[in-house]
Amino acid sequence: MSTLTNNRLQALSDNVWLHFFQMGHFSSTGARPTVLVRGEGSRVWDQDGHEYIDGLSGLFTVNVGYGRREIIEAIGAQLSEIAYVSPFSFPSIPQIDLSARLAAISPTGPRSRVFLTTGGSDAVETALKLAKAYQRRRGFADRTKIIARRISYHGTSMGALSVNGVTSIRNGFGPLVPGARHVPLPYRYRCDYCALHSGCRGVCADEVERLIEFEGPETIAAIIMEPVQNSGGAIVSPPGYLQRIRQICDHYGIVMIVDEVICGFGRVGDWFGSTAMEVHPDIITCAKGITSGYAPLGATIVRDTIADMFVSENDADKFMHGITFGGHVASCAAALANLDIIEREHLLERSREMGAYLMRELEAAIGQHPNVGEVRGMGMFMAVELVRDRTTRESIAEERLMSWLSDQLKQRGLICRADDRLEPVIQLAPPLILTREEADRCVRIVTEAVHALGRKLGSTPAVFAINPPTETKTAVAAD
């Protein structure tokens, strides 16, 4: 097993720059980092041999779990034949096979064209450029604006960042690509539009149409949305919402882009969230679970009626966009092996069934806890929203609470996400192969952490105990 030597600790302090992370926490505090060195199934181990359930699949990525020799061998076999094929000049066999496979399962239709990228931000960037180029080809040069939802995350390259709905990520990098507009998200638990009503009235979708009318339909190129929005905590689009967006796009001649970077490849219980919600986008962006993280890859899957605008005998009609490592042969080989596993092991069905089980168990264990507002999600993608008071839905505004909560979960043997970009949530998105025993352990650990939160906030009555969790034996002591 790899060890964290003094030289490596020094290199971590001096040379490493993690993403979205303040490296000063290591250099100034001398905090000992958790370095993950091994994975098998749904579990990972750190440099000290401590075992954790990976309740976030790396980063919503390792859908089929760790240690899959089939994928590793497919990568090696491909590299032994040819290590690189330029996507600017030549097709490769894995690229051809994967494109056909993706078109066959995509709700954009079997004649879809697939533009392969290196990851999610690249896939979104490609989709945005393509939508604008498509509108220009149609004769609408003024259609340059993109509508996205507030709090939504779509990547960090400049185009993707511009449509990003998380202001704390956008701020500081301007001027951004002009033309991004943002609409309210369908956040039923705290919806201002439907708070006094028993069900969703669809006003958040109406707001999209109102914005289009205000800006002028002749200026809007595309709308981009996730079926289940990650940022904010597994916020599921209500029934009929995406169908309404589809109708709006059709009516005004707007390209509908569905961002499936997280939702795709079984995460929400089907190949895509679009499929699960029975909506047909014009463009799908995907990444992460396409290879289960064994190699970097993303894809922009495009309906034929849009792609055909760029296909002719005339070189001037081509889509002027490219990425050196887009659709790398090894990554395509990994994706094909990954899709084989998902199909052979029926992981779409497993995601639905195990996800429903996890949701039921979480609801039973903590659904009535004074600091739990809602348990929500779809498939193996769920969140527990935390509140100061369940009755009033008062928000929690404790400084560094998410860092504390992450530590509480990790100390007990569970890696997941505690996030407060909207309201504080605990997010769970474990590998689709999670066992019943591991699911029960996840529920016990989350329950323990929520009880600890209640004690910290002084809001858990001594008498509150719904089936108190059994002792969880982990290699790391729990405070």
Side-chain angles (χ1 to χ4, degrees):
M1 182 178 291
S2 301
T3 58
L4 194 60
T5 62
N6 288 335
N7 285 343
R8 284 173 174 158
L9 282 170
Q10 191 63 52
L12 175 65
S13 176
D14 294 346
N15 309 124
V16 175
W17 204 335
L18 296 176
H19 301 201
F20 287 112
F21 190 87
Q22 177 48 264
M23 295 304 297
H25 291 319
F26 292 141
S27 57
S28 63
T29 67
R32 183 172 172 79
T34 297
V35 180
L36 300 180
V37 297
R38 186 168 69 89
E40 186 69 31
S42 298
R43 305 185 188 207
V44 292
W45 286 261
D46 69 15
Q47 75 276 12
D48 297 318
H50 297 146
E51 175 191 306
Y52 310 88
I53 293 177
D54 184 357
L56 203 62
S57 300
L59 193 60
F60 314 100
T61 299
V62 190
N63 289 9
V64 302
Y66 296 90
R68 292 288 195 162
R69 298 302 310 174
E70 182 176 342
I71 302 177
I72 297 165
E73 289 167 4
I75 293 171
Q78 177 56 53
L79 291 176
S80 68
E81 290 187 359
I82 187 167
Y84 177 79
V85 176
S86 167
F88 290 22
S89 308
F90 305 100
S92 71
I93 295 299
Q95 176 193 37
I96 294 169
D97 291 346
L98 179 60
S99 297
R101 192 90 169 263
L102 292 175
I105 63 175
S106 172
T108 52
R111 289 196 64 250
S112 300
R113 285 192 181 268
V114 180
F115 192 103
L116 294 170
T117 68
T118 58
S121 289
D122 283 349
V124 169
E125 199 81 19
T126 299
L128 299 177
K129 290 178 70 174
L130 184 60
K132 292 181 181 183
Y134 168 72
Q135 296 289 11
R136 186 175 291 271
R137 289 285 168 89
R138 293 177 61 222
F140 299 108
D142 292 332
R143 285 186 178 262
T144 58
K145 296 175 185 174
I146 309 291
I147 295 174
R149 294 196 295 216
R150 296 171 191 163
I151 316 299
S152 62
Y153 179 91
H154 294 292
T156 53
S157 54
M158 287 304 286
L161 183 65
S162 302
V163 301
N164 213 314
V166 185
T167 53
S168 60
I169 294 175
R170 291 202 320 268
N171 291 347
F173 296 103
L176 300 176
V177 177
R181 301 291 185 269
H182 293 87
V183 293
L185 66 158
Y187 180 23
R188 177 63 185 145
Y189 183 68
R190 295 185 183 276
C191 180
D192 293 333
Y193 301 118
C194 304
L196 302 178
H197 299 268
S198 59
C200 177
R201 297 187 303 147
V203 180
C204 48
D206 294 339
E207 283 295 314
V208 177
E209 186 165 25
R210 291 191 185 104
L211 178 63
I212 292 168
E213 290 287 356
F214 173 77
E215 295 286 340
E218 70 282 0
T219 70
I220 310 297
I223 294 174
I224 182 168
M225 294 178 174
E226 296 167 280
V228 181
Q229 183 167 310
N230 172 50
S231 187
I235 298 173
V236 183
S237 297
Y241 175 86
L242 289 175
Q243 283 78 5
R244 174 80 176 117
I245 300 301
R246 173 75 271 177
Q247 291 169 359
I248 290 170
C249 287
D250 289 341
H251 179 72
Y252 292 102
I254 295 168
V255 175
M256 183 180 185
I257 304 170
V258 174
D259 185 344
E260 303 261 14
V261 169
I262 289 177
C263 293
F265 306 102
R267 177 55 55 194
V268 299
D270 213 321
W271 282 117
F272 298 99
S274 309
T275 316
M277 296 181 179
E278 299 181 341
V279 67
H280 298 278
D282 297 309
I283 300 175
I284 281 177
T285 60
C286 56
K288 294 186 183 287
I290 192 172
T291 66
S292 285
Y294 283 73
L297 186 69
T300 306
I301 308 174
V302 187
R303 182 185 297 278
D304 59 346
T305 52
I306 291 179
D308 287 350
M309 295 286 284
F310 300 88
V311 179
S312 75
E313 295 295 324
N314 187 350
D315 273 356
D317 289 337
K318 65 187 175 187
F319 181 40
M320 295 296 291
H321 178 62
I323 303 165
T324 299
F325 292 106
H328 191 282
V329 288
S331 298
C332 290
L336 288 164
N338 179 62
L339 296 181
D340 285 343
I341 292 170
I342 293 173
E343 287 184 341
R344 185 177 65 247
E345 298 185 8
H346 307 289
L347 294 185
L348 306 182
E349 296 88 343
R350 185 176 180 83
S351 176
R352 293 194 294 269
E353 293 165 5
M354 187 57 70
Y357 175 77
L358 259 174
M359 291 274 287
R360 285 196 307 271
E361 294 299 302
L362 284 168
E363 187 65 46
I366 57 173
Q368 300 302 311
H369 190 281
N371 298 116
V372 171
E374 181 180 44
V375 179
R376 60 174 177 259
M378 186 174 181
M380 294 287 269
F381 186 28
M382 61 204 72
V384 177
E385 179 158 337
L386 304 170
V387 294
R388 180 169 289 281
D389 185 282
R390 177 178 175 81
T391 303
T392 64
R393 302 189 182 186
E394 179 186 352
S395 298
I396 302 173
E398 300 285 325
E399 190 174 352
R400 295 191 60 79
L401 180 65
M402 295 299 97
S403 175
W404 175 87
L405 188 56
S406 291
D407 285 343
Q408 290 292 310
L409 293 159
K410 192 173 73 169
Q411 287 168 7
R412 290 166 167 82
L414 176 64
I415 294 174
C416 57
R417 170 179 275 183
D419 185 37
D420 61 356
R421 283 177 288 185
L422 187 55
E423 296 289 337
V425 294
I426 297 172
Q427 283 186 277
L428 281 167
L432 310 185
I433 60 167
L434 190 79
T435 66
R436 182 72 63 94
E437 176 193 5
E438 290 168 335
D440 291 340
R441 184 175 161 197
C442 288
V443 172
R444 287 196 298 270
I445 292 172
V446 170
T447 300
E448 290 173 5
V450 169
H451 279 294
L453 172 68
R455 292 191 294 272
K456 180 179 177 66
L457 298 176
S459 55
T460 300
V463 297
F464 181 83
I466 300 177
N467 300 323
T470 57
E471 190 70 25
T472 303
K473 183 179 180 181
T474 70
V476 185
D479 314 313

